[in-house]
Amino acid sequence: MRKYGIFLLCVMLMLIIASPVLAQDQDPIANLKVGLDTVWVLFTAFLVFFMNLGFGMVESGLCRVKNTVNILAKNFIVFAIASISFWVIGWGLMFGNGNDFFGLQGLLFASGADNSPAMGDAYQGAYSAISWTGVPLWAKFFFQLVFAGTAATIVSGVVAERIKFLSFIVFSFILVGIMYPITGHWVWGGGWLAKLGMWDFAGSGVVHSVGGWAGLAGALLLGPRIDKYRKDGSARPIFGHNMSTVTLGALVLWFGWFGFNPGSTMGVGDGSAIAHIAVTTNTAAAAAILSSTITAWLVLGKPDLSMIVNGSLAGLVAITAPCAFVSVGSSFIIGVIAGVLVVFAVLFFDKLHIDDPVGALAVHLVNGTFGLLAVGLFAQDGITGTATGNGLFFGGGFKLLGAQIAGVLGIGVFTFVVSIIAWSIIKAIMGMRVSREEEIRGLDLGEHGMEAYAGFQVFLNQ
Amino acid sequence: MRKYGIFLLCVMLMLIIASPVLAQDQDPIANLKVGLDTVWVLFTAFLVFFMNLGFGMVESGLCRVKNTVNILAKNFIVFAIASISFWVIGWGLMFGNGNDFFGLQGLLFASGADNSPAMGDAYQGAYSAISWTGVPLWAKFFFQLVFAGTAATIVSGVVAERIKFLSFIVFSFILVGIMYPITGHWVWGGGWLAKLGMWDFAGSGVVHSVGGWAGLAGALLLGPRIDKYRKDGSARPIFGHNMSTVTLGALVLWFGWFGFNPGSTMGVGDGSAIAHIAVTTNTAAAAAILSSTITAWLVLGKPDLSMIVNGSLAGLVAITAPCAFVSVGSSFIIGVIAGVLVVFAVLFFDKLHIDDPVGALAVHLVNGTFGLLAVGLFAQDGITGTATGNGLFFGGGFKLLGAQIAGVLGIGVFTFVVSIIAWSIIKAIMGMRVSREEEIRGLDLGEHGMEAYAGFQVFLNQ
Amino acid sequence: MRKYGIFLLCVMLMLIIASPVLAQDQDPIANLKVGLDTVWVLFTAFLVFFMNLGFGMVESGLCRVKNTVNILAKNFIVFAIASISFWVIGWGLMFGNGNDFFGLQGLLFASGADNSPAMGDAYQGAYSAISWTGVPLWAKFFFQLVFAGTAATIVSGVVAERIKFLSFIVFSFILVGIMYPITGHWVWGGGWLAKLGMWDFAGSGVVHSVGGWAGLAGALLLGPRIDKYRKDGSARPIFGHNMSTVTLGALVLWFGWFGFNPGSTMGVGDGSAIAHIAVTTNTAAAAAILSSTITAWLVLGKPDLSMIVNGSLAGLVAITAPCAFVSVGSSFIIGVIAGVLVVFAVLFFDKLHIDDPVGALAVHLVNGTFGLLAVGLFAQDGITGTATGNGLFFGGGFKLLGAQIAGVLGIGVFTFVVSIIAWSIIKAIMGMRVSREEEIRGLDLGEHGMEAYAGFQVFLNQ
């Protein structure tokens, strides 16, 4: 209500009369807006939650029948662990006001919304780094929680078929409660990487590469599965026991990624950004499927289904950071590269005798890293409204790419080093690997005292 | 538009000019609000519908391979039965205007919306107990239908591996068409329990305990499966045939519960209530997983996956009634208790030789009852806007708890007694249990003439 | 702002003062509306995307264990193919401004939104046939893409267990890129069938019958599987290998259909249409399950689960065209008919020795056609706001029915003839059917070099 000019009497009248009109109008609209944004944030969070099913099915299906219960149990319990540890400490470390390295305010037992006025960001400003979205605190918390849970499930795949159940649980608690939130604070909590101008829209780096680095540390300390590598150094193929659940899991993950990426707007706006992101996400996945299928066909001689499946995930991981910053055409190219990368990365880790039973390092570590770099290469300033600056291929020079490389290194060094330390302590205190006998007989009987498929004739001595 | 004071001419002018502004503004806003609420109600209803998959997978996976087709068929057809019987009679009995015990108006073939003005509650006021939400009639109907369907699927688990296909179908029709709506009317239709001040936000009692009581009646009349209890009275463990589908089913149920609980607001408001409910729901599930895992580990010696899975469901059932009335901290405690309860309840029913193949009584009856009581213990008045009064632990004394106990007893006595009568009539007319030969050979061949896993080597004589 | 009358000075004052109010009000409301519509379109699109999982599970589960990997791979890659071919050419042919037969503007590499003003239909008007919905271009594109993908997955089922992997991929590219968009343009792109007054709300004809006709052409050119028909002409039953995944798939499809049908509004309005459509969709599915179960019980002697499952899909396909044009009562009748039709259609195709391994022709071709006709029979003008005119049973005479019959014939003749040509060219160039040895041993080993269930004892020589 500006520039009234003269005619004061009339104006005052106007104001008196207009005030209820304004009050009536603005409140319901603001209310509707925050309601709509909350619906969007919650639904996309539900989809991301659902990815727990996808990871559980992909990981268990790609492993042997004798370890199925163990992998399912790990994947099931890990989100419970994440829910508690992120509530107790993780959220505060990640989004609490603090320094460039971690949060210091509102640290323990995320709360405030219960007693706060109903709408918006009214929890005393303890979490101002995430005040750009106006949804209620618990919606923000829940959305970030399902992301944190994802990082831990990635580790599960890398250390599968040989880790002790309890050791995995303890590591997951540390990862989600402490390590993940700290690097998360650097990028999404207003920390030093954010200040450097590094961008990771939905978490190629913050979520996927973190899970990958933590898993890599675990795999190195655990060593490969018995008989995985032959005396001549070649890798023995170990086939998954259930390609139906693997395919199911991959489609659930793809479905869930429509929450992961478009949901990371944490608001609806006029709909154009979320629609754009849905299409870049899908296009990268499709392109990666085609390129991984062709690559596998050429390199391995047949279109291997596990490579096709991992191709889709590679494309999805790679587009996660840049999905809101690149055009649909660029998302196609990013997907094509991701699909080629994943096939060679699987072969590469086997060359190094780093045993990655389900290809999680090839998918999440390699393509999570590639996704961060892709922002520096393909970004177009403001394409969905964010001022990232342009990437190298669009005339922005090395500025953005440099920040992205800093992000790759910062996240990687921290997460890898701290993971090595954490795993080592766990190894010293409670042990890390099951016994040779248990590994041969299967972790289902050893850790859980049950079989996955009672009534079926199965072979445990694969 | 109040307090105009003097200056009448100007005021009248103002009104003439302002009126189109008001008309333009209010209609689209009201329209948007009802549109947003409808989107929320429909999407959460879709999620609840999806729980049919979860129940089907958990129940069939926890049973033997030879009964898989039968359990899947029961779970698949039961929602079809529910859809028809709730349309024909159930909806009217539950939400029609009537007395304190059942509805009397708008009884048969729910309708009205087809010919009614488009928006809101314009169907002649026949269903005024549910007029607190402004979404179109068919949205209300559909949301309530998917809840009604849930009650029937719970029964399926309790009577699994021995009931005749047709007998189950007939009972389901009666349950969803008549019994469920009557107790539902008491609580959600403005009946005597609602008037008593009893609260069940999303149906720990109205849905889950009803399914549990109806199943208990069935289990008592059916008796245990052949060879379930040894001559010395001990229970013989009968293992599930597919822990992959069990875990899948549990995660689908957890996913669906984000429709079940937050959706029960039947509107979005400013988003704070639905976000709160999503977090209490998730926190209780997570806490129950941890407590059931620890309890199973201590009591049974190993972290049994079926106990972990049932732990998650126990937490979800227990938080269903109080999810909107308690703090996140309280939801954690409720979850912890539910996870412990479910393990001992499984052992308890086996002690009584009540054969509950998938633990459905331990999950739905025991924790549904606990959930109703938890409202009376942990409720905090108005925490998401509902004036429930405080529970015992928050200074409200025994008032609310007393009403909750009345609800437990009222729902329990009615549903159990009428179920015993209904099952007895079915037993007398068409029989209830398959023949001994069929039970040993499996219901798949007996009832459906097919196997679930043709091409696999399986053992039927488990 | 009309009818100001006199008192000009005051009026001008009013306008000056009121203008910011108006500007403030109208933009956020329009913004909210397009935001809400976009959320609806995207979420329902995600659900339709998820149907890829449903089709993959139903099709692979109903086939033999030795062909599982192949069917899963086909169903997985087909959506990647669709995503690329619909982006490259399909979208433009279908919705680009053009003549009565196909689009001519905005043909290659759908784009424009990236650089356009954020909101609404601002991409130079190249796609005016779909301008009735105000959501951003990429939301429209994505919603239509997931529909296009569905048509191709239907073909996968019909040609299962004998087609070469690469031949299927090539055909899918042609179907989604060229054939599907052309008939789609006729109905949804403002083409000759739309001008004739033919209506297909969500695609019984445009999607399902197109998939059916294309599959029928493939099945005729491929011939039946080895040993499917005995020397006496009778059909040998070939059992599905995994009824758990079949049931899972069917429930995922039903779930996804709540995106398919209600989502086809491509906007929320006041919520009454989408709620209505959710209920007609569900009621038809439920009715078809009951009628197919009874029919199978009577005709085949047992309630066969695959018939119950196909019954649900038949009801869903049949209600897809009329879901927005008929009452809930009519949807019940349509469902009952669909459930009976599907059982007899399965037997009918076997009589003709057209080998349809999963019943896809009975479901999609027969009931897709029936759905188109059902519009002409049961439509009630304006029941959810669309001026279709009344169908035969509601006093509209043969006008609407005639247009629907034209649609059935137009779509059928074009798709069938072009499919025969396309398949024939593929057959001539790269072959269509795997070798006899490969078919007997299974396509998993032949085409992909792997088994679906390593570690399980399975029988390949079924």
Side-chain angles (χ1 to χ4, degrees), chain B residues 49-75:
Chain B
F49 164 83
F50 201 45
M51 292 171 70
N52 285 292
L53 172 58
F55 283 113
M57 293 293 124
V58 167
E59 291 177 17
S60 62
L62 284 175
C63 289
R64 285 165 292 183
V65 67
K66 65 185 175 185
N67 298 318
T68 306
V69 169
N70 178 254
I71 296 171
L72 294 168
K74 272 162 51 199
N75 272 280

Short mmCIF file of all heavy atoms in Angstrom, two decimals, chain B residues 49-75:
data_model
loop_
_atom_site.label_atom_id
_atom_site.label_comp_id
_atom_site.label_asym_id
_atom_site.label_seq_id
_atom_site.Cartn_x
_atom_site.Cartn_y
_atom_site.Cartn_z
N PHE B 49 -4.81 -47.43 0.03
CA PHE B 49 -5.16 -48.53 -0.88
C PHE B 49 -3.96 -49.43 -1.10
O PHE B 49 -4.06 -50.66 -1.10
CB PHE B 49 -5.62 -47.98 -2.24
CG PHE B 49 -5.62 -49.04 -3.31
CD1 PHE B 49 -6.69 -49.91 -3.43
CD2 PHE B 49 -4.53 -49.21 -4.14
CE1 PHE B 49 -6.67 -50.92 -4.38
CE2 PHE B 49 -4.49 -50.21 -5.09
CZ PHE B 49 -5.58 -51.07 -5.21
N PHE B 50 -2.79 -48.82 -1.28
CA PHE B 50 -1.57 -49.57 -1.59
C PHE B 50 -1.20 -50.52 -0.45
O PHE B 50 -0.48 -51.50 -0.66
CB PHE B 50 -0.43 -48.57 -1.83
CG PHE B 50 0.72 -49.11 -2.62
CD1 PHE B 50 0.52 -49.87 -3.76
CD2 PHE B 50 2.02 -48.87 -2.22
CE1 PHE B 50 1.60 -50.35 -4.50
CE2 PHE B 50 3.10 -49.35 -2.95
CZ PHE B 50 2.89 -50.10 -4.09
N MET B 51 -1.70 -50.25 0.75
CA MET B 51 -1.43 -51.15 1.88
C MET B 51 -1.99 -52.54 1.63
O MET B 51 -1.54 -53.51 2.24
CB MET B 51 -2.00 -50.55 3.16
CG MET B 51 -1.25 -49.29 3.59
SD MET B 51 -2.04 -48.39 4.97
CE MET B 51 -1.75 -49.52 6.32
N ASN B 52 -2.98 -52.67 0.75
CA ASN B 52 -3.44 -54.01 0.39
C ASN B 52 -2.29 -54.86 -0.13
O ASN B 52 -2.24 -56.06 0.13
CB ASN B 52 -4.53 -53.93 -0.69
CG ASN B 52 -5.86 -53.48 -0.11
OD1 ASN B 52 -6.47 -54.20 0.66
ND2 ASN B 52 -6.29 -52.28 -0.47
N LEU B 53 -1.41 -54.25 -0.89
CA LEU B 53 -0.23 -54.97 -1.35
C LEU B 53 0.64 -55.36 -0.17
O LEU B 53 1.13 -56.50 -0.07
CB LEU B 53 0.58 -54.10 -2.32
CG LEU B 53 1.93 -54.65 -2.74
CD1 LEU B 53 1.81 -56.01 -3.39
CD2 LEU B 53 2.64 -53.69 -3.69
N GLY B 54 0.84 -54.44 0.75
CA GLY B 54 1.67 -54.72 1.91
C GLY B 54 1.14 -55.89 2.72
O GLY B 54 1.89 -56.82 3.05
N PHE B 55 -0.15 -55.86 3.02
CA PHE B 55 -0.74 -56.96 3.78
C PHE B 55 -0.62 -58.28 3.02
O PHE B 55 -0.28 -59.32 3.60
CB PHE B 55 -2.21 -56.67 4.10
CG PHE B 55 -2.39 -55.68 5.22
CD1 PHE B 55 -2.93 -54.43 5.00
CD2 PHE B 55 -2.01 -56.01 6.51
CE1 PHE B 55 -3.09 -53.52 6.04
CE2 PHE B 55 -2.17 -55.10 7.56
CZ PHE B 55 -2.71 -53.86 7.32
N GLY B 56 -0.90 -58.24 1.73
CA GLY B 56 -0.82 -59.46 0.93
C GLY B 56 0.57 -60.07 0.96
O GLY B 56 0.72 -61.30 1.08
N MET B 57 1.59 -59.24 0.87
CA MET B 57 2.96 -59.75 0.83
C MET B 57 3.42 -60.22 2.21
O MET B 57 4.05 -61.27 2.33
CB MET B 57 3.91 -58.66 0.31
CG MET B 57 3.71 -58.29 -1.15
SD MET B 57 4.13 -59.65 -2.29
CE MET B 57 2.59 -59.81 -3.20
N VAL B 58 3.12 -59.45 3.25
CA VAL B 58 3.52 -59.87 4.59
C VAL B 58 2.85 -61.19 4.96
O VAL B 58 3.50 -62.13 5.43
CB VAL B 58 3.16 -58.78 5.63
CG1 VAL B 58 3.28 -59.32 7.05
CG2 VAL B 58 4.06 -57.57 5.46
N GLU B 59 1.56 -61.29 4.71
CA GLU B 59 0.82 -62.48 5.12
C GLU B 59 1.24 -63.72 4.32
O GLU B 59 1.49 -64.78 4.89
CB GLU B 59 -0.68 -62.25 4.98
CG GLU B 59 -1.21 -61.24 5.99
CD GLU B 59 -2.68 -60.93 5.81
OE1 GLU B 59 -3.38 -61.70 5.14
OE2 GLU B 59 -3.14 -59.90 6.35
N SER B 60 1.31 -63.56 3.00
CA SER B 60 1.67 -64.73 2.20
C SER B 60 3.13 -65.12 2.45
O SER B 60 3.45 -66.31 2.55
CB SER B 60 1.43 -64.47 0.71
OG SER B 60 2.22 -63.40 0.25
N GLY B 61 4.00 -64.15 2.58
CA GLY B 61 5.42 -64.46 2.79
C GLY B 61 5.68 -65.16 4.11
O GLY B 61 6.59 -65.99 4.21
N LEU B 62 4.90 -64.83 5.14
CA LEU B 62 5.10 -65.44 6.45
C LEU B 62 4.45 -66.82 6.55
O LEU B 62 4.61 -67.50 7.56
CB LEU B 62 4.56 -64.53 7.56
CG LEU B 62 5.43 -63.32 7.91
CD1 LEU B 62 4.74 -62.41 8.92
CD2 LEU B 62 6.81 -63.75 8.46
N CYS B 63 3.71 -67.22 5.51
CA CYS B 63 3.10 -68.55 5.52
C CYS B 63 3.87 -69.48 4.59
O CYS B 63 4.89 -69.12 4.02
CB CYS B 63 1.63 -68.45 5.13
SG CYS B 63 0.64 -67.68 6.43
N ARG B 64 3.37 -70.70 4.46
CA ARG B 64 4.11 -71.70 3.71
C ARG B 64 3.84 -71.62 2.22
O ARG B 64 2.78 -71.16 1.79
CB ARG B 64 3.78 -73.09 4.26
CG ARG B 64 4.47 -73.33 5.59
CD ARG B 64 3.88 -74.50 6.32
NE ARG B 64 2.52 -74.24 6.74
CZ ARG B 64 1.79 -75.09 7.46
NH1 ARG B 64 2.29 -76.26 7.83
NH2 ARG B 64 0.55 -74.79 7.81
N VAL B 65 4.78 -72.10 1.47
CA VAL B 65 4.74 -71.99 0.02
C VAL B 65 3.47 -72.62 -0.56
O VAL B 65 2.95 -72.15 -1.58
CB VAL B 65 6.03 -72.60 -0.58
CG1 VAL B 65 6.10 -74.10 -0.36
CG2 VAL B 65 6.21 -72.23 -2.02
N LYS B 66 2.95 -73.61 0.11
CA LYS B 66 1.81 -74.34 -0.45
C LYS B 66 0.49 -73.59 -0.31
O LYS B 66 -0.53 -74.00 -0.88
CB LYS B 66 1.68 -75.71 0.23
CG LYS B 66 1.36 -75.65 1.72
CD LYS B 66 1.38 -77.04 2.35
CE LYS B 66 1.18 -76.93 3.86
NZ LYS B 66 1.32 -78.24 4.52
N ASN B 67 0.47 -72.54 0.47
CA ASN B 67 -0.75 -71.75 0.67
C ASN B 67 -0.66 -70.34 0.10
O ASN B 67 -1.50 -69.49 0.39
CB ASN B 67 -1.05 -71.65 2.18
CG ASN B 67 -1.29 -73.01 2.80
OD1 ASN B 67 -1.98 -73.85 2.22
ND2 ASN B 67 -0.70 -73.26 3.96
N THR B 68 0.34 -70.10 -0.72
CA THR B 68 0.61 -68.75 -1.18
C THR B 68 -0.49 -68.19 -2.09
O THR B 68 -0.96 -67.07 -1.89
CB THR B 68 1.95 -68.73 -1.95
OG1 THR B 68 2.96 -69.27 -1.10
CG2 THR B 68 2.32 -67.33 -2.35
N VAL B 69 -0.88 -68.97 -3.07
CA VAL B 69 -1.92 -68.50 -4.00
C VAL B 69 -3.19 -68.16 -3.24
O VAL B 69 -3.83 -67.14 -3.49
CB VAL B 69 -2.21 -69.57 -5.08
CG1 VAL B 69 -3.46 -69.22 -5.88
CG2 VAL B 69 -1.01 -69.72 -6.01
N ASN B 70 -3.54 -69.02 -2.29
CA ASN B 70 -4.76 -68.81 -1.54
C ASN B 70 -4.73 -67.50 -0.75
O ASN B 70 -5.69 -66.73 -0.76
CB ASN B 70 -4.97 -69.99 -0.59
CG ASN B 70 -6.22 -69.82 0.27
OD1 ASN B 70 -6.11 -69.56 1.46
ND2 ASN B 70 -7.39 -69.92 -0.34
N ILE B 71 -3.61 -67.24 -0.10
CA ILE B 71 -3.51 -66.01 0.70
C ILE B 71 -3.50 -64.78 -0.21
O ILE B 71 -4.16 -63.78 0.08
CB ILE B 71 -2.27 -66.07 1.61
CG1 ILE B 71 -2.43 -67.21 2.61
CG2 ILE B 71 -2.06 -64.75 2.31
CD1 ILE B 71 -1.20 -67.50 3.42
N LEU B 72 -2.78 -64.88 -1.31
CA LEU B 72 -2.77 -63.76 -2.25
C LEU B 72 -4.17 -63.51 -2.80
O LEU B 72 -4.62 -62.36 -2.91
CB LEU B 72 -1.81 -64.06 -3.40
CG LEU B 72 -0.32 -64.13 -3.03
CD1 LEU B 72 0.48 -64.70 -4.19
CD2 LEU B 72 0.21 -62.75 -2.65
N ALA B 73 -4.86 -64.58 -3.14
CA ALA B 73 -6.21 -64.43 -3.70
C ALA B 73 -7.15 -63.80 -2.68
O ALA B 73 -7.95 -62.92 -3.01
CB ALA B 73 -6.75 -65.78 -4.17
N LYS B 74 -7.05 -64.25 -1.43
CA LYS B 74 -7.88 -63.67 -0.37
C LYS B 74 -7.61 -62.18 -0.23
O LYS B 74 -8.52 -61.35 -0.16
CB LYS B 74 -7.59 -64.36 0.97
CG LYS B 74 -8.42 -65.60 1.24
CD LYS B 74 -7.79 -66.45 2.33
CE LYS B 74 -7.45 -65.66 3.60
NZ LYS B 74 -6.47 -66.38 4.44
N ASN B 75 -6.34 -61.83 -0.18
CA ASN B 75 -5.98 -60.43 0.00
C ASN B 75 -6.34 -59.57 -1.20
O ASN B 75 -6.57 -58.38 -1.07
CB ASN B 75 -4.48 -60.31 0.31
CG ASN B 75 -4.20 -60.43 1.78
OD1 ASN B 75 -4.37 -59.50 2.53
ND2 ASN B 75 -3.83 -61.62 2.20
#
